Amino acid sequence: MNMKLKTMLLGLSVMTALSAFAQKPVYLDTGKPIEERVKDALNRMTLEEKVKMIHAQSKFSSAGVPRLGIPEVWATDGPHGIRPEVLWDEWDQAGWTNDSCIAYPALTCLSATWNPEMSHLYGKSIGEEARYRKKDILLGPGVNIYRTPLNGRNFEYMGEDPYLSATMVVPYIKGVQENGVAACVKHYALNNQEFNRHTTNVQLSDRALYEIYLPAFKAAVQEGGTWSIMGSYNLYQGQHACHNKRLLKDILRDEWGFDGVVVSDWGGVHNTEQAIRNGMDLEFGSWTNGLSAGTRNAYDNYYLAFPYLKLIKEGKVGTKELDEKVINILRLIFRTSMDPYKPFGSLGSPEHGQAGRKIAEEGIVLLQNKNNVLPVDLNKTKKIAVIGENAIKMMTVGGGSSSLKVKYEISPLDGLKNRVGSQAEVVYARGYVGDPTGEYNGVKTGQDLKDDRSEDELLAEALQVAKDADYVIFFGGLNKSNHQDCEDSDRASLGLPYAQDRVISELAKVNKKLIVVNISGNAVAMPWVNDVPAIVQGWFLGSEAGTALASVLVGDTNPSGKLPFTFPAKLEDVGAHKLGEYPGNKEELAKSKHRGDTINETYHEDIFVGYRWADKEKIKPLFPFGHGLSYTTFVYGKPSADKKTMTADDTISFTVNVKNTGTREGQEVVQLYISDKKSSLPRPVKELKAFQKVRLAPGEEKEVTLTVDKKALSFFDDGKHEWVAEPGKFEAVIGSSSRDIRGIVSFELK
Ligand code: GLC
């Protein structure tokens, strides 16, 4: 070969190698776009292979096509961490010794950070753990709207406001999917309570559906690009959400352009014909009759298994829908398990622990701090009394499908002891006994919380410990047991359980420096609110719970969380309870003889959920949506707009100067609510449409600019079935919370 040719070939191979490293390793590059690979794979599959692919083969997996080298699809819970491996067809864990995870804070806490960067950190970290465990679908995040404070699963979701949920869910999805793992946003849609979750038929206006309950899912699809979505258990318009034509075809596919996989909730499919025609792609967990039927693989009894194949073979249905389902699943496979470039992930790493701690510290909300009792001043402290079961009880085990087997979980008491060290004495008393159990799905906490003492004995000990302490910190709230913050059950009332109110009130009498930390994923009543100087919303914070709480309580971290839902003073202050029909139509509930009856529930409060209701009814909440204090203070200047009038294709920007007038660095969340002064349909007084979290050093000030377009001014006109921004007068309401208003700017839409 002559020199010239050699040189050319050498140059070419160098170019190819360089270009490969510039994009992706050549040896892995299939060169074909995913859609071509999907079509090619589909055309090679037999009818039986296609039907096997669209339903579960085990508790958390569905079949691939070994003959073609197409792998199985493996799903895993949950939204706060990667569930321990389970046995093939069981809920109980398999007892592996290499699947302990990092538990991240519950999504209410993530939402309370009001910081999309925390969402991305969260998604990336949990996605790395799912990837390392070789899971293709992470069954989360959940974004159902907080309609009632009694909903057992509110802790898994992002609060009462559609804009906050929509903004915070997108970076989580992207973070997960960067790992080659599909997010699976749930539970689509209208799963706003656990009571009768399989049989409640939700009825509501299209306005409420489009303005309140769908936006987070729409953002997940159109901005987050979620690769899968989970149908919910409940019914809507008389059809189960897992095979609901309106939700899964008309809205999800036709209006939003979703190209991912619709996964059923476990046992959420009830009808083969509907599942075929109404857009259910991948059926999981429909209660295999692995006992009496004696079939080789009970999963073949699933609605989208043999029954479907039979209909096809009898010529009663075609294979058009089958191919659509298989195409969606193949697309997910090529995006996940067959993506040759995805990263390797990691499990239980120090980095993941630190990510969880960071998110926790940013999500903790300082609700009240009279006389600046907080932060605890360790230099002037000899003794800290810690009271309450939630100071020691593990919260990562239990609560339903989000339950975890963690590498570690630092309790509030341990976190405080670690931080305080020898600087002060930390003395503990139980205060009350709530739920001494510690096991879920075979995962054991190993804690022995058994305590047979009477309520009075426990209280006496607590008061004894507390009366001469420099600080008393009460850790109470809810837990992950039934009728607390737990899947498949709702709470019976707004109040704290286990007679905690009595303990708190008595502690307040013996020590003025009482701090109450409410560990929960839901609002609770606080009859003692005026007797307790400092109150902290502590959330379920995961593996680094104690570290994060101690950091805020002693002041290493300046709290910057803001409430993602309203704390009502009483249940009647909530639209769903004032107007009903939570938990369902009364007459039907009274008449229904067994759990299987469909119960109708109309959302009479319509769009007036959360602060929208409180504003409309002029109710003073215990603590308002968006509320959260700091150890420093922020002063806002007078806000201004870059224009007085805007047109429909314009944007408008509002600028406000924020100054840290305190003595330490802090973060503030500047919130922008839009108020439509005159509209042809009833509208909330104001609605959150933008926010920004800013970090300011002492004395530092920053111009914060929030820009919105006509979308932020629009409401959904369900008569016309479209979003409408009506010309007229509007106000931009700038606040440090939905009630702490710092400035208002009027403007007009032409
Ligand atoms: C549960 C939950 C769902 C979970 C699934 C698998 O019933 O509703 O959120 O992902 O089943 O555990």
Side-chain angles (χ1 to χ4, degrees), residues 59-60 75-79 83 91 138-140 142 153 156-157 184 186-187 191 194 197-198 230-233 263-268 284-285 287 400-402 441 487-488:
K59 190 55 84 186
F60 284 97
T76 180
D77 286 314
R83 183 174 188 154
W91 289 113
L138 172 68
L139 300 170
R153 286 186 93 171
E156 287 188 49
Y157 307 145
C184 184
K186 67 190 188 182
H187 304 84
N191 179 194
E194 289 302 288
R197 64 173 174 163
H198 297 271
M230 185 191 291
S232 61
Y233 283 131
V263 173
S264 80
D265 201 340
W266 270 237
F284 270 111
W287 304 126
S401 55
S402 61
N441 274 162
E487 181 177 334
D488 206 18

Short mmCIF file of all heavy atoms in Angstrom, two decimals, residues 59-60 75-79 83 91 138-140 142 153 156-157 184 186-187 191 194 197-198 230-233 263-268 284-285 287 400-402 441 487-488, ligand 1:
data_model
loop_
_atom_site.label_atom_id
_atom_site.label_comp_id
_atom_site.label_asym_id
_atom_site.label_seq_id
_atom_site.Cartn_x
_atom_site.Cartn_y
_atom_site.Cartn_z
N LYS A 59 -43.62 -10.09 40.59
CA LYS A 59 -44.18 -8.97 41.33
C LYS A 59 -43.71 -7.63 40.75
O LYS A 59 -44.47 -6.67 40.70
CB LYS A 59 -43.78 -9.06 42.80
CG LYS A 59 -44.48 -8.09 43.70
CD LYS A 59 -45.99 -8.16 43.64
CE LYS A 59 -46.56 -9.23 44.52
NZ LYS A 59 -48.03 -9.37 44.32
N PHE A 60 -42.46 -7.57 40.30
CA PHE A 60 -41.95 -6.28 39.82
C PHE A 60 -41.26 -6.37 38.48
O PHE A 60 -40.42 -5.53 38.13
CB PHE A 60 -40.98 -5.68 40.85
CG PHE A 60 -41.67 -5.07 42.04
CD1 PHE A 60 -41.81 -5.79 43.21
CD2 PHE A 60 -42.22 -3.80 41.96
CE1 PHE A 60 -42.47 -5.24 44.30
CE2 PHE A 60 -42.88 -3.24 43.05
CZ PHE A 60 -43.02 -3.96 44.23
N ALA A 75 -39.03 -3.13 37.53
CA ALA A 75 -39.51 -1.90 38.18
C ALA A 75 -39.18 -1.98 39.66
O ALA A 75 -38.99 -3.07 40.21
CB ALA A 75 -41.01 -1.76 37.99
N THR A 76 -39.07 -0.84 40.29
CA THR A 76 -38.87 -0.82 41.74
C THR A 76 -39.56 0.39 42.36
O THR A 76 -39.57 1.48 41.78
CB THR A 76 -37.37 -0.75 42.12
OG1 THR A 76 -37.25 -0.73 43.55
CG2 THR A 76 -36.71 0.51 41.58
N ASP A 77 -40.11 0.15 43.58
CA ASP A 77 -40.47 1.31 44.39
C ASP A 77 -39.17 1.89 44.89
O ASP A 77 -38.13 1.21 44.84
CB ASP A 77 -41.35 0.84 45.56
CG ASP A 77 -42.76 0.50 45.07
OD1 ASP A 77 -43.32 1.30 44.31
OD2 ASP A 77 -43.27 -0.57 45.44
N GLY A 78 -39.14 3.10 45.53
CA GLY A 78 -40.29 3.97 45.55
C GLY A 78 -39.77 5.38 45.40
O GLY A 78 -38.60 5.61 45.09
N PRO A 79 -40.56 6.31 45.70
CA PRO A 79 -40.19 7.71 45.46
C PRO A 79 -39.09 8.26 46.36
O PRO A 79 -38.47 9.25 46.01
CB PRO A 79 -41.51 8.44 45.73
CG PRO A 79 -42.28 7.53 46.62
CD PRO A 79 -41.88 6.14 46.28
N ARG A 83 -36.46 0.26 46.97
CA ARG A 83 -37.04 -0.80 47.82
C ARG A 83 -36.13 -2.02 47.83
O ARG A 83 -35.49 -2.33 46.84
CB ARG A 83 -38.40 -1.16 47.22
CG ARG A 83 -39.19 -2.18 47.99
CD ARG A 83 -40.58 -2.35 47.39
NE ARG A 83 -41.42 -3.20 48.22
CZ ARG A 83 -42.75 -3.14 48.25
NH1 ARG A 83 -43.38 -2.29 47.46
NH2 ARG A 83 -43.45 -3.93 49.03
N TRP A 91 -44.70 -9.76 48.33
CA TRP A 91 -44.40 -8.39 48.77
C TRP A 91 -43.23 -8.41 49.75
O TRP A 91 -42.56 -7.42 49.97
CB TRP A 91 -45.62 -7.77 49.46
CG TRP A 91 -46.75 -7.45 48.54
CD1 TRP A 91 -47.96 -8.05 48.51
CD2 TRP A 91 -46.76 -6.47 47.48
NE1 TRP A 91 -48.74 -7.49 47.53
CE2 TRP A 91 -48.03 -6.52 46.88
CE3 TRP A 91 -45.83 -5.56 47.01
CZ2 TRP A 91 -48.39 -5.69 45.81
CZ3 TRP A 91 -46.17 -4.73 45.95
CH2 TRP A 91 -47.45 -4.80 45.37
N LEU A 138 -38.32 3.42 37.89
CA LEU A 138 -38.48 3.83 39.30
C LEU A 138 -39.93 4.25 39.47
O LEU A 138 -40.42 5.15 38.77
CB LEU A 138 -37.55 5.00 39.63
CG LEU A 138 -37.78 5.62 41.01
CD1 LEU A 138 -37.38 4.66 42.11
CD2 LEU A 138 -37.03 6.93 41.16
N LEU A 139 -40.64 3.59 40.38
CA LEU A 139 -42.08 3.86 40.54
C LEU A 139 -42.28 5.10 41.41
O LEU A 139 -42.64 5.04 42.58
CB LEU A 139 -42.77 2.63 41.14
CG LEU A 139 -42.62 1.37 40.27
CD1 LEU A 139 -43.09 0.15 41.02
CD2 LEU A 139 -43.37 1.55 38.96
N GLY A 140 -41.99 6.21 40.82
CA GLY A 140 -42.12 7.51 41.47
C GLY A 140 -41.63 8.54 40.47
O GLY A 140 -41.14 8.18 39.41
N GLY A 142 -44.47 10.76 43.07
CA GLY A 142 -45.92 10.95 43.15
C GLY A 142 -46.23 12.44 43.22
O GLY A 142 -45.54 13.18 43.92
N ARG A 153 -51.37 9.29 52.09
CA ARG A 153 -50.15 9.30 51.28
C ARG A 153 -49.68 10.69 50.91
O ARG A 153 -48.79 10.85 50.09
CB ARG A 153 -50.35 8.50 50.00
CG ARG A 153 -50.37 7.02 50.22
CD ARG A 153 -50.44 6.25 48.93
NE ARG A 153 -49.10 5.90 48.44
CZ ARG A 153 -48.90 5.08 47.41
NH1 ARG A 153 -49.94 4.60 46.73
NH2 ARG A 153 -47.68 4.78 47.02
N GLU A 156 -46.01 11.42 50.44
CA GLU A 156 -45.27 11.00 49.23
C GLU A 156 -45.40 11.99 48.10
O GLU A 156 -44.83 11.79 47.03
CB GLU A 156 -45.83 9.67 48.73
CG GLU A 156 -45.50 8.46 49.55
CD GLU A 156 -45.94 7.19 48.84
OE1 GLU A 156 -45.64 7.03 47.65
OE2 GLU A 156 -46.61 6.36 49.48
N TYR A 157 -46.19 13.06 48.31
CA TYR A 157 -46.49 13.96 47.19
C TYR A 157 -45.94 15.36 47.45
O TYR A 157 -45.25 15.59 48.44
CB TYR A 157 -48.01 14.01 46.97
CG TYR A 157 -48.67 12.67 46.78
CD1 TYR A 157 -49.94 12.44 47.28
CD2 TYR A 157 -48.03 11.62 46.13
CE1 TYR A 157 -50.57 11.21 47.13
CE2 TYR A 157 -48.64 10.38 45.98
CZ TYR A 157 -49.90 10.19 46.48
OH TYR A 157 -50.51 8.96 46.33
N CYS A 184 -41.58 7.10 36.73
CA CYS A 184 -42.96 6.64 36.51
C CYS A 184 -43.88 7.47 37.39
O CYS A 184 -44.14 7.14 38.53
CB CYS A 184 -43.09 5.16 36.86
SG CYS A 184 -44.73 4.50 36.50
N LYS A 186 -46.74 9.22 39.34
CA LYS A 186 -47.97 8.58 39.82
C LYS A 186 -48.69 9.48 40.80
O LYS A 186 -48.12 10.49 41.25
CB LYS A 186 -47.59 7.25 40.46
CG LYS A 186 -46.75 7.35 41.74
CD LYS A 186 -46.23 5.96 42.15
CE LYS A 186 -45.55 6.00 43.52
NZ LYS A 186 -45.01 4.71 43.93
N HIS A 187 -50.01 9.16 41.10
CA HIS A 187 -50.83 8.12 40.49
C HIS A 187 -51.84 8.84 39.62
O HIS A 187 -52.64 9.61 40.13
CB HIS A 187 -51.55 7.34 41.58
CG HIS A 187 -50.63 6.76 42.59
ND1 HIS A 187 -50.15 7.48 43.69
CD2 HIS A 187 -50.04 5.54 42.68
CE1 HIS A 187 -49.35 6.71 44.40
NE2 HIS A 187 -49.25 5.53 43.81
N ASN A 191 -56.01 10.49 42.63
CA ASN A 191 -55.86 9.61 43.79
C ASN A 191 -55.52 10.48 44.99
O ASN A 191 -54.38 10.57 45.42
CB ASN A 191 -54.73 8.61 43.48
CG ASN A 191 -54.46 7.64 44.62
OD1 ASN A 191 -53.44 6.98 44.60
ND2 ASN A 191 -55.33 7.58 45.62
N GLU A 194 -56.72 7.71 50.47
CA GLU A 194 -56.45 6.27 50.51
C GLU A 194 -57.71 5.49 50.89
O GLU A 194 -57.82 4.32 50.60
CB GLU A 194 -55.32 5.99 51.48
CG GLU A 194 -53.95 6.47 50.95
CD GLU A 194 -53.58 5.84 49.63
OE1 GLU A 194 -53.27 4.65 49.63
OE2 GLU A 194 -53.63 6.53 48.60
N ARG A 197 -59.60 3.49 48.15
CA ARG A 197 -58.80 3.94 46.99
C ARG A 197 -59.06 3.12 45.73
O ARG A 197 -58.86 3.59 44.63
CB ARG A 197 -57.31 3.94 47.31
CG ARG A 197 -56.71 2.58 47.62
CD ARG A 197 -55.19 2.71 47.74
NE ARG A 197 -54.55 1.47 48.16
CZ ARG A 197 -53.24 1.25 48.01
NH1 ARG A 197 -52.46 2.19 47.49
NH2 ARG A 197 -52.70 0.13 48.41
N HIS A 198 -59.56 1.88 45.87
CA HIS A 198 -59.83 1.06 44.68
C HIS A 198 -61.23 1.29 44.13
O HIS A 198 -61.54 0.85 43.02
CB HIS A 198 -59.69 -0.43 45.03
CG HIS A 198 -58.31 -0.82 45.46
ND1 HIS A 198 -57.33 -1.21 44.57
CD2 HIS A 198 -57.73 -0.84 46.68
CE1 HIS A 198 -56.21 -1.49 45.22
NE2 HIS A 198 -56.43 -1.27 46.51
N MET A 230 -47.95 6.10 35.93
CA MET A 230 -48.72 5.02 36.54
C MET A 230 -50.18 5.40 36.69
O MET A 230 -50.49 6.44 37.28
CB MET A 230 -48.13 4.66 37.92
CG MET A 230 -48.82 3.44 38.55
SD MET A 230 -48.39 3.18 40.27
CE MET A 230 -46.68 2.68 40.13
N GLY A 231 -51.07 4.54 36.17
CA GLY A 231 -52.51 4.76 36.36
C GLY A 231 -52.86 4.53 37.82
O GLY A 231 -52.23 3.71 38.49
N SER A 232 -53.85 5.26 38.30
CA SER A 232 -54.20 5.13 39.73
C SER A 232 -55.33 4.13 39.92
O SER A 232 -55.96 3.68 38.97
CB SER A 232 -54.59 6.50 40.29
OG SER A 232 -55.72 7.00 39.61
N TYR A 233 -55.57 3.80 41.19
CA TYR A 233 -56.58 2.79 41.50
C TYR A 233 -58.00 3.28 41.32
O TYR A 233 -58.90 2.51 40.95
CB TYR A 233 -56.44 2.37 42.98
CG TYR A 233 -55.30 1.45 43.26
CD1 TYR A 233 -54.41 1.71 44.29
CD2 TYR A 233 -55.11 0.28 42.52
CE1 TYR A 233 -53.36 0.85 44.59
CE2 TYR A 233 -54.07 -0.59 42.81
CZ TYR A 233 -53.21 -0.30 43.85
OH TYR A 233 -52.18 -1.15 44.15
N VAL A 263 -48.16 2.38 32.93
CA VAL A 263 -48.03 1.23 33.82
C VAL A 263 -49.25 1.22 34.74
O VAL A 263 -49.69 2.29 35.18
CB VAL A 263 -46.75 1.38 34.67
CG1 VAL A 263 -46.64 0.31 35.74
CG2 VAL A 263 -45.51 1.39 33.78
N SER A 264 -49.79 0.06 35.02
CA SER A 264 -50.94 0.06 35.95
C SER A 264 -50.42 0.10 37.37
O SER A 264 -49.29 -0.32 37.65
CB SER A 264 -51.75 -1.23 35.77
OG SER A 264 -51.11 -2.30 36.45
N ASP A 265 -51.25 0.60 38.28
CA ASP A 265 -50.90 0.37 39.67
C ASP A 265 -51.14 -1.12 39.92
O ASP A 265 -51.84 -1.78 39.15
CB ASP A 265 -51.75 1.25 40.60
CG ASP A 265 -51.07 1.40 41.96
OD1 ASP A 265 -50.21 0.56 42.29
OD2 ASP A 265 -51.38 2.36 42.67
N TRP A 266 -50.58 -1.62 40.99
CA TRP A 266 -50.60 -3.07 41.23
C TRP A 266 -52.01 -3.53 41.59
O TRP A 266 -52.53 -3.23 42.65
CB TRP A 266 -49.60 -3.41 42.32
CG TRP A 266 -48.21 -3.73 41.79
CD1 TRP A 266 -47.52 -4.88 41.99
CD2 TRP A 266 -47.40 -2.91 40.96
NE1 TRP A 266 -46.30 -4.81 41.35
CE2 TRP A 266 -46.20 -3.63 40.69
CE3 TRP A 266 -47.53 -1.65 40.38
CZ2 TRP A 266 -45.17 -3.13 39.89
CZ3 TRP A 266 -46.51 -1.16 39.60
CH2 TRP A 266 -45.35 -1.88 39.36
N GLY A 267 -52.62 -4.17 40.62
CA GLY A 267 -54.00 -4.58 40.82
C GLY A 267 -54.98 -3.54 40.33
O GLY A 267 -56.15 -3.58 40.66
N GLY A 268 -54.49 -2.63 39.51
CA GLY A 268 -55.36 -1.52 39.08
C GLY A 268 -56.16 -1.82 37.83
O GLY A 268 -57.03 -1.04 37.45
N PHE A 284 -49.44 -4.56 35.87
CA PHE A 284 -48.70 -5.16 37.00
C PHE A 284 -49.67 -5.57 38.08
O PHE A 284 -50.74 -5.03 38.22
CB PHE A 284 -47.70 -4.14 37.56
CG PHE A 284 -46.34 -4.22 36.91
CD1 PHE A 284 -45.89 -3.19 36.10
CD2 PHE A 284 -45.53 -5.32 37.09
CE1 PHE A 284 -44.64 -3.26 35.49
CE2 PHE A 284 -44.28 -5.40 36.49
CZ PHE A 284 -43.83 -4.37 35.69
N GLY A 285 -49.26 -6.57 38.82
CA GLY A 285 -49.78 -6.91 40.12
C GLY A 285 -51.24 -7.14 40.27
O GLY A 285 -51.79 -6.86 41.32
N TRP A 287 -53.18 -9.19 41.34
CA TRP A 287 -53.59 -10.25 42.25
C TRP A 287 -53.56 -11.62 41.59
O TRP A 287 -54.55 -12.18 41.25
CB TRP A 287 -54.96 -9.97 42.85
CG TRP A 287 -54.97 -8.63 43.54
CD1 TRP A 287 -55.81 -7.61 43.35
CD2 TRP A 287 -54.01 -8.16 44.49
NE1 TRP A 287 -55.48 -6.53 44.11
CE2 TRP A 287 -54.35 -6.83 44.84
CE3 TRP A 287 -52.88 -8.70 45.10
CZ2 TRP A 287 -53.63 -6.05 45.73
CZ3 TRP A 287 -52.16 -7.94 45.99
CH2 TRP A 287 -52.53 -6.63 46.31
N GLY A 400 -46.18 1.75 53.75
CA GLY A 400 -46.67 1.21 52.48
C GLY A 400 -45.55 0.98 51.50
O GLY A 400 -44.41 0.70 51.88
N SER A 401 -45.82 1.17 50.20
CA SER A 401 -44.85 0.76 49.18
C SER A 401 -43.60 1.64 49.18
O SER A 401 -42.60 1.30 48.56
CB SER A 401 -45.51 0.84 47.81
OG SER A 401 -46.03 2.15 47.62
N SER A 402 -43.60 2.75 49.90
CA SER A 402 -42.39 3.60 49.95
C SER A 402 -41.47 3.16 51.09
O SER A 402 -40.45 3.80 51.34
CB SER A 402 -42.79 5.07 50.16
OG SER A 402 -43.48 5.20 51.40
N ASN A 441 -43.25 -5.60 55.58
CA ASN A 441 -42.86 -6.44 54.44
C ASN A 441 -41.56 -7.20 54.72
O ASN A 441 -40.70 -7.29 53.85
CB ASN A 441 -42.67 -5.60 53.18
CG ASN A 441 -43.98 -5.41 52.43
OD1 ASN A 441 -44.10 -4.53 51.61
ND2 ASN A 441 -44.97 -6.20 52.71
N GLU A 487 -49.91 4.41 53.43
CA GLU A 487 -50.70 3.98 52.26
C GLU A 487 -51.88 3.10 52.68
O GLU A 487 -51.78 2.38 53.65
CB GLU A 487 -49.76 3.20 51.34
CG GLU A 487 -50.40 2.70 50.06
CD GLU A 487 -49.41 1.99 49.16
OE1 GLU A 487 -48.19 2.30 49.24
OE2 GLU A 487 -49.83 1.12 48.38
N ASP A 488 -52.94 3.20 51.91
CA ASP A 488 -54.11 2.33 52.07
C ASP A 488 -54.92 2.64 53.32
O ASP A 488 -55.76 1.85 53.74
CB ASP A 488 -53.70 0.85 52.07
CG ASP A 488 -54.87 -0.03 51.61
OD1 ASP A 488 -55.81 0.54 50.99
OD2 ASP A 488 -54.87 -1.22 51.90
C1 GLC B 1 -48.90 0.17 45.46
C2 GLC B 1 -48.89 1.68 45.26
C3 GLC B 1 -47.95 2.13 44.19
C4 GLC B 1 -46.73 1.22 44.21
C5 GLC B 1 -47.20 -0.14 43.73
C6 GLC B 1 -46.07 -1.18 43.81
O1 GLC B 1 -50.20 -0.30 45.69
O2 GLC B 1 -50.16 2.29 45.05
O3 GLC B 1 -47.58 3.49 44.47
O4 GLC B 1 -45.71 1.71 43.36
O5 GLC B 1 -48.33 -0.62 44.45
O6 GLC B 1 -45.72 -1.38 45.13
#
